[in-house]
Amino acid sequence: MGYSGCLASHLISNLIQLHSPLLLSSFLCLISFCSQKKNMGFSLKLQYCLVSVMVLLPAVCYSQDYFVKSRATYYGSPDCLGTPSGACGFGEYGRSVNDANVAGVSRLYKNGTGCGACYQVRCTNPQICADNGVNIVVTDYGEGDNTDFILSPRAYARMAQPDTGAHLFAYGVVDVEYQRIPCQYSGYKTQVKVHEHSKYPNYLAIVVLYQAGKSEILSVDIWQEDCKEWIGMRRAYGAVFDMANPPSGDISLRFQVRGSAGLTWVQAPNVIPKYWKAGVAYETDIQLY
């Protein structure tokens, strides 16, 4: 088999493992198109096909419109809700958001960029598992027995059919399948919360709440009026960004967001007032999708 044949075979094998029929069929279509271009030199044909696949691959993989097999368990909680001390830094929001259908994740944590993402998770035992499973929000980091999800007790119970919850909890760890879904918060716009650890006016830490859609916040900049430039904030941990000696006056932010439209910058002018207070969430006029 020639180099191009080996390359195509390798790519097709990987696409099959991704369980993405759309991506696979699109790739095969591209290969067919390239093979018909007899007047093109080999190098030009190969470059065209590779560029086309590289453009297509991130978009389809990011959308993740397919289920991935994994495992899930749950953590102990006296009130069956989330934990306010989660690794994402959401505080009480992480305890009760999405009716406390929340989870800690391991590899999906992505060093904090996975915080706030939403997933549909459903267990696979047809005798005790509901068809739709549960929609969860990532609020914490956690590792289990080869699990991707450590669910709140409320979220774990939602995966079961009526009157079978006790059987599901008895398993402890169950096989599941999951897919990324858009977060939806009816009646809420994106909010910027001044983290409780902030100390006015010398230290500012923020966390973004009610982040809708499939977006991921990669970085946050703050506008420095005296320098007339954007200055990057530090990702302190999870979804918390901070800065020592922040600008005085009303504070404008911009977010580098990865979503369905690719990489974009979204600005929130004067979102934090001059005399900000720790623990207060300020509503923006933006929505992250």
Side-chain angles (χ1 to χ4, degrees), residues 45-283:
K45 287 193 295 182
L46 180 60
Q47 290 178 35
Y48 178 85
C49 291
L50 288 178
V51 168
S52 300
V53 170
M54 286 189 291
V55 169
L56 181 64
L57 183 62
V60 177
C61 289
Y62 183 80
S63 66
Q64 194 184 307
D65 294 325
Y66 54 90
F67 281 91
V68 178
K69 295 185 182 302
S70 184
R71 284 155 58 88
T73 185
Y74 64 94
Y75 57 82
S77 172
D79 53 12
C80 295
L81 305 182
T83 170
S85 58
C88 288
F90 287 138
E92 283 297 319
Y93 171 89
R95 180 175 175 270
S96 59
V97 66
N98 194 39
D99 197 28
N101 292 304
V102 298
V105 294
S106 51
R107 65 188 182 88
L108 297 174
Y109 184 73
K110 304 176 187 177
N111 198 33
T113 60
C115 291
C118 294
Y119 294 89
Q120 180 186 2
V121 184
R122 59 191 188 191
C123 56
T124 57
N125 185 334
Q127 304 300 318
I128 59 176
C129 297
D131 291 340
N132 294 326
V134 61
N135 296 342
I136 61 94
V137 179
V138 174
T139 59
D140 201 357
Y141 177 88
E143 295 182 1
D145 180 11
N146 293 317
T147 61
D148 276 310
F149 296 92
I150 303 181
L151 303 169
S152 68
R154 179 171 295 187
Y156 194 82
R158 287 282 299 275
M159 290 195 299
Q161 295 182 23
D163 302 321
T164 64
H167 298 287
L168 188 63
F169 277 99
Y171 279 95
V173 179
V174 292
D175 292 328
V176 299
E177 53 186 18
Y178 72 90
Q179 67 172 345
R180 180 80 183 268
I181 60 173
C183 296
Q184 298 179 346
Y185 301 106
S186 179
Y188 289 95
K189 291 183 178 180
T190 304
Q191 295 181 6
V192 175
K193 180 184 177 182
V194 177
H195 198 273
E196 288 83 357
H197 293 164
S198 299
K199 301 293 183 183
Y200 181 86
N202 299 317
Y203 173 72
L204 174 65
I206 65 164
V207 60
V208 178
L209 311 181
Y210 300 110
Q211 181 179 331
K214 290 186 180 181
S215 59
E216 294 178 347
I217 297 177
L218 303 184
S219 62
V220 180
D221 290 353
I222 194 167
W223 178 249
Q224 194 86 31
E225 179 63 28
D226 53 352
C227 301
K228 301 296 182 186
E229 64 178 344
W230 291 99
I231 306 295
M233 300 184 75
R234 179 184 70 126
R235 185 185 289 274
Y237 67 96
V240 179
F241 294 84
D242 68 355
M243 172 178 280
N245 302 312
S248 58
D250 294 343
I251 292 177
S252 297
L253 301 173
R254 71 172 183 176
F255 309 95
Q256 187 183 42
V257 179
R258 179 170 56 203
S260 57
L263 285 178
T264 58
W265 284 98
V266 180
Q267 293 190 21
N270 302 324
V271 62
I272 300 177
K274 177 179 180 179
Y275 300 106
W276 47 264
K277 295 182 179 179
V280 176
Y282 300 97
E283 188 173 271

Side-chain angles (χ1 to χ4, degrees), residues 23-65:
L23 185 56
L24 178 58
S25 62
S26 300
F27 176 73
L28 292 175
C29 179
L30 284 170
I31 292 296
S32 174
F33 171 80
C34 291
S35 65
Q36 293 171 16
K37 294 293 183 180
K38 302 295 185 183
N39 355 351
M40 279 183 169
F42 169 76
S43 178
L44 183 57
K45 287 193 295 182
L46 180 60
Q47 290 178 35
Y48 178 85
C49 291
L50 288 178
V51 168
S52 300
V53 170
M54 286 189 291
V55 169
L56 181 64
L57 183 62
V60 177
C61 289
Y62 183 80
S63 66
Q64 194 184 307
D65 294 325

